[in-house]
Amino acid sequence: MINTDLITTYPVGIIQVNIQGEILLMNDTCKEILKFYGKETLDCTIHNFLPSSSIIKVIKENKKEISIFENDKQRYYLYEMPLMTGQSGLILFIPDNDFEKMINQNRKVMALKQELEAIMNLSGELVTITDGTGKVIRVNATCEQIMGVKEQDFVGKEAGSLEINGVINLSSTTQVIKQKRPVTVSQTTKSGRRLLVRGFPIFDEEGHLSKVVNISKDVTEEANLKKNLEETRKILSHFQDEFYNLQKRENHIVVKSKAMEEIYSLISRVAESDATVLLLGKTGVGKEVMARHIHQVSQRKKKPFIKINCGALPESLIESELFGYSKGTFTGANKEGKEGLLLAAHNGTLFLDEIGELPLNLQSKLLQVLQEKEFTPLGQTKPIKINIRFIAATNRNLEDMIKQGQFRADLYYRLYVIPVTIPSLNERKEDIPFLVKHFLEIYNEKYHQTKKIDNEGLQCFMDYEWEGNVRELQNTIERLVVTVPGNQISKRDLPPKMANNPHTSGDFQEEISLKEALASYEKSILEKTLEKSSTLKEVSNKLSVDISTISRKCKKYKIDIAKMQM
C-alpha cells in the first residue's frame, strides 16, 4: 500500500492513476505544477489535463518510461512507473536539475566522466568541447594556464562571445559551425599565448552537427613554432586513421572501404565464439590474413594457429598430415610415428585453406571430426578428444561442386555456420591507396629503403584491374621497392600492363596531393553513380553508404544532385 501522508507532503510531484486512467491520488506539489487547485480530481482521467502521458501503456506493459513536461516556470522529467499490483501506476514530476544530479551521481556515469577527464588531460594540450550551437560544455585542466581564464568562467560561455569579449581573437568553433568541416586557425589568447587550433565537427546519425571538439596546441615560443607546427600537422593528418584503425594495423589488416568495415565488424563479433567460419572469395583477397586475424582477436590467441593447404599436398599425404599415425603404420614413415595437425591445433585454431580441394574420402572423416570433436590417428583404434576452432577457406563455388558430386552437402552445411565473403580488390578500390602505403612501409623497412610513390603512379594503381587482388598488389610493391633505382616510384617504373592501362585517367594532375587525389576520385564516383541512378536511395544501395552521407559529400563537392539526375 502507498503511504498517502508521505506522498501528500513529498517535494516531488506525484500522481497515482489506475489502469482506466482515473486519478486516485495527486499530491500538493503536483497540483501546484499543474495549477490544479480548486478542481475536483474524482472522476477525472489523466488525459483530461496531461494528454502526453503514457501511464496506461506503462501499467499494461509493466515498463517504465521517461518524457519531458514543461510549464511556464520550469522543465520536468516525467518518470512513469507501474506499481506491483499491476492495476495502477505512478507519475513523478522531477525537476530537470534534480534529475540531472541523480544521473550524475550514478556510479557508471561517474566512472565514464572520470575516464573522459583522464583522456582529455593526457596530451597536455587544451581541449574544449562545445555543443552544436557553440556553447562550451567541457574544457580540460590546462584551461587557466593557456587561456588565462578559470574553467568555471569558461564553461557555459558561447564561443562567439569569447571572441567578442577578447578572450580569443578568432574562434575555431564558429568557423566549424559555419563550414561544417574541420578547420585550422591560428589563435591569440587574452593572456598573449599563441595557439594552433584544430576544430573537429561531430555529426549525429541524421547528419546534424551535435558537438565541436577543439584541440589547441601552444606554439608561443618562436623557436619551437616550426617544430610544433610540423608535429601538429602529422597528428592531425593521422588522427582519424590512427584512432579508428589501431587494432586493424596491429593485425596487418587495412580497412577503409564500407564493405571491408562491415566484414571487420562481423569478424570482431564472432571471433570470441568457437563457431566455424567459412571464408569465401577470389584468390589473393586475403583469406589467410583474415583467418589469422580471427585467431589473434579470439580467446585462443596464445594457443596454436595451424594451417593446412588442402590443395598443396598429394591425397596420400593429406590424411597422415591431418590425423597423424602411430609407430610402424607405414613402410618408410617416421619410425616413432607422427603427431597430426589436428592434435597440434588442440586448444587453438585449425585453418583449412582451399577446402574445396579436399578429396571426397577425407571429407567424410573431416565431417566426423567437426561433429564429434574427436579423431582416430592412423594405425590406432582409440579416439582422441580435441578442442579446436575450425576456419575454412575456398575460392571455389562449393554449391556447384555439390551439384557435380565433388563436395559433400553435409560437410558444406557443417562449415557454413559463419560465411564471410571477402570482396575482390576491384570492388573496394578505396582501399588501394592505404594498401599501397601499408606495403610500402613493410618493404621499405625490410629492405632498408625510403621509397615513395608519386600521385600519377598511385592513379595507375587505382585504375588497374587487379586480377590477383591484394596478393598481386603486395608482390608489385615489393618488386618496385627492390628494383626502382631512386626513392621515387612513378608511372614509368610500373609494369607496362599498368602504365599503359587504357582505363587510366588521362587528365591526371601530377601536382595534387594524395588527399586531393582521393577527393577527386570520390567525387568522380559520386557523379557517375548519380547519373546512372534515379533516386538517392538507389545511389545509397549501390555505394553502401547512408543517404545523409551522400547528401553531405555532394554538398562538400558542390554537386548539383537534381541536375545530375535529370
Side-chain angles (χ1 to χ4, degrees):
M1 294 291 292
I2 296 177
N3 189 325
T4 305
D5 293 335
L6 178 63
I7 285 184
T8 303
T9 58
Y10 203 69
V12 172
I14 301 177
I15 304 175
Q16 184 183 4
V17 179
N18 65 18
I19 199 166
Q20 286 78 35
E22 297 170 341
I23 299 172
L24 305 179
L25 179 67
M26 179 186 295
N27 70 353
D28 292 342
T29 303
C30 192
K31 288 180 180 179
E32 184 177 345
I33 293 170
L34 298 173
K35 299 180 180 179
F36 213 78
Y37 281 117
K39 297 182 182 180
E40 190 61 49
T41 60
L42 295 176
D43 300 325
C44 182
T45 65
I46 188 68
H47 292 111
N48 289 134
F49 60 91
L50 196 61
S52 62
S53 173
S54 303
I55 189 63
I56 295 176
K57 176 185 174 184
V58 165
I59 297 169
K60 289 181 178 179
E61 297 182 0
N62 195 33
K63 293 181 180 178
K64 304 178 184 69
E65 285 200 14
I66 297 175
S67 57
I68 302 293
F69 173 82
E70 292 186 68
N71 61 15
D72 55 357
K73 293 182 179 180
Q74 194 167 355
R75 190 167 181 256
Y76 297 86
Y77 284 90
L78 287 191
Y79 184 70
E80 301 182 282
M81 55 182 287
L83 292 178
M84 295 295 290
T85 62
Q87 296 298 312
S88 66
L90 289 182
I91 305 175
L92 306 183
F93 289 74
I94 306 174
D96 57 352
N97 54 344
D98 291 342
F99 190 83
E100 289 169 6
K101 287 178 183 177
M102 292 165 59
I103 294 297
N104 288 331
Q105 290 174 358
N106 180 278
R107 281 190 292 180
K108 288 185 178 180
V109 174
M110 292 174 67
L112 286 171
K113 290 175 70 175
Q114 289 174 353
E115 289 177 10
L116 176 61
E117 196 70 34
I119 292 171
M120 289 184 67
N121 289 303
L122 279 177
S123 67
E125 299 172 358
L126 174 62
V127 181
T128 63
I129 303 175
T130 76
D131 62 19
T133 66
K135 183 178 180 180
V136 179
I137 57 179
R138 180 175 286 274
V139 297
N140 67 348
T142 61
C143 177
E144 185 172 0
Q145 175 189 346
I146 294 179
M147 300 297 295
V149 179
K150 293 183 178 181
E151 180 180 345
Q152 59 265 33
D153 297 329
F154 203 71
V155 174
K157 296 292 191 298
E158 298 289 339
S161 69
L162 295 171
E163 188 175 340
I164 293 172
N165 295 328
V167 178
I168 52 177
N169 71 323
L170 179 63
S171 169
S172 58
T173 299
T174 56
Q175 296 300 313
V176 170
I177 292 173
K178 287 178 183 177
Q179 301 180 38
K180 300 292 189 297
R181 64 177 181 83
V183 301
T184 303
V185 300
S186 179
Q187 192 178 88
T188 304
T189 71
K190 186 177 183 179
S191 59
R193 310 298 294 178
R194 294 178 61 187
L195 308 176
L196 187 68
V197 187
R198 181 69 164 161
F200 298 91
I202 298 177
F203 299 95
D204 59 23
E205 293 180 353
E206 297 178 351
H208 301 133
L209 183 66
S210 63
K211 288 182 177 60
V212 178
V213 178
N214 297 287
I215 302 175
S216 305
K217 191 174 186 68
D218 190 346
V219 291
T220 306
E221 300 300 329
E222 198 67 34
N224 295 326
L225 181 59
K226 184 176 181 180
K227 178 182 177 181
N228 290 340
L229 181 60
E230 186 62 26
E231 289 176 353
T232 303
R233 282 175 178 166
K234 290 179 181 178
I235 291 170
L236 297 177
S237 173
H238 297 288
F239 182 83
Q240 185 176 7
D241 292 339
E242 293 296 327
F243 178 77
Y244 189 78
N245 291 319
L246 177 60
Q247 188 179 22
K248 302 182 183 74
R249 287 201 314 276
E250 288 175 349
N251 292 287
H252 306 292
I253 292 183
V254 177
V255 176
K256 289 301 291 184
S257 63
K258 181 73 173 177
M260 288 303 291
E261 282 182 356
E262 291 174 354
I263 288 174
Y264 182 83
S265 176
L266 171 63
I267 289 301
S268 299
R269 293 195 299 272
V270 306
E272 289 300 319
S273 71
D274 283 333
T276 301
V277 177
L278 178 60
L279 300 174
L280 306 168
K282 295 181 179 179
T283 299
V285 294
K287 296 188 287 296
E288 182 178 347
V289 173
M290 187 63 74
R292 291 184 181 275
H293 173 70
I294 294 171
H295 175 75
Q296 286 299 320
V297 298
S298 74
Q299 295 179 351
R300 298 174 181 264
K301 62 184 177 182
K302 295 183 180 180
K303 301 299 181 180
F305 176 89
I306 304 297
K307 173 193 172 183
I308 181 169
N309 190 321
C310 301
L313 292 174
E315 182 176 341
S316 58
L317 291 181
I318 292 179
E319 185 172 9
S320 60
E321 288 292 320
L322 194 57
F323 296 96
Y325 53 88
S326 60
K327 180 179 179 181
T329 303
F330 302 112
T331 301
N334 190 320
K335 294 181 180 180
E336 302 302 320
K338 182 176 182 179
E339 177 186 272
L341 295 178
L342 282 170
L343 190 57
H346 182 56
N347 291 326
T349 302
L350 180 65
F351 176 45
L352 298 162
D353 198 11
E354 302 300 342
I355 189 68
E357 308 300 328
L358 191 67
L360 275 171
N361 65 314
L362 290 181
Q363 290 178 24
S364 59
K365 292 187 177 182
L366 177 61
L367 176 62
Q368 184 177 6
V369 174
L370 288 165
Q371 290 174 334
E372 307 297 334
K373 302 299 181 184
E374 65 179 27
F375 74 100
T376 304
L378 299 176
Q380 293 187 21
T381 56
K382 186 178 179 180
I384 298 175
K385 287 284 185 182
I386 52 171
N387 174 20
I388 292 177
R389 202 276 177 73
F390 289 92
I391 302 176
T394 183
N395 61 356
R396 301 186 65 179
N397 188 320
L398 296 183
E399 292 183 354
D400 286 347
M401 292 182 67
I402 291 171
K403 295 175 183 177
Q404 297 165 11
Q406 298 174 346
F407 202 85
R408 292 181 63 106
D410 47 6
L411 176 58
Y412 171 71
Y413 292 116
R414 178 63 66 174
L415 294 171
Y416 199 82
V417 179
I418 308 290
V420 179
T421 301
I422 304 175
S424 65
L425 194 54
N426 291 326
E427 297 176 84
R428 49 185 176 105
K429 291 219 171 202
E430 55 267 52
D431 285 339
I432 291 176
F434 303 95
L435 287 166
V436 169
K437 178 177 178 292
H438 174 70
F439 291 130
L440 275 174
E441 290 174 352
I442 289 176
Y443 293 117
N444 274 332
E445 182 177 355
K446 179 177 179 179
Y447 297 113
H448 308 290
Q449 299 290 329
T450 56
K451 302 290 173 67
K452 295 182 180 180
I453 186 167
D454 65 18
N455 292 328
E456 188 177 14
L458 180 62
Q459 186 64 45
C460 290
F461 272 79
M462 295 289 290
D463 292 331
Y464 181 66
E465 298 294 321
W466 296 97
E467 295 298 329
N469 291 291
V470 179
R471 186 180 296 123
E472 183 186 1
L473 186 148
Q474 180 178 358
N475 292 341
T476 301
I477 293 293
E478 182 176 14
R479 182 167 64 253
L480 292 171
V481 169
V482 172
T483 60
V484 172
N487 286 331
Q488 186 86 339
I489 299 171
S490 59
K491 181 178 179 179
R492 65 176 177 272
D493 300 311
L494 303 182
K497 61 181 179 180
M498 290 182 64
N500 302 326
N501 182 10
H503 300 291
T504 301
S505 302
D507 56 350
F508 185 80
Q509 301 177 37
E510 186 172 350
E511 298 301 322
I512 65 174
S513 67
L514 173 60
K515 183 178 179 181
E516 290 170 328
L518 291 174
S520 176
Y521 182 68
E522 185 175 54
K523 179 182 179 183
S524 175
I525 290 176
L526 278 170
E527 289 177 336
K528 290 177 181 177
T529 308
L530 281 165
E531 287 177 351
K532 297 178 181 179
S533 307
S534 56
T535 64
L536 282 182
K537 183 173 179 59
E538 186 179 347
V539 177
S540 172
N541 292 334
K542 288 180 179 179
L543 298 181
S544 298
V545 294
D546 296 334
I547 293 177
S548 59
T549 302
I550 294 170
S551 299
R552 188 165 65 251
K553 288 187 179 293
C554 285
K555 184 176 180 181
K556 172 184 175 181
Y557 296 126
K558 298 180 181 179
I559 299 174
D560 189 335
I561 297 176
K563 185 177 180 181
M564 295 295 295
Q565 295 186 317
M566 287 180 61

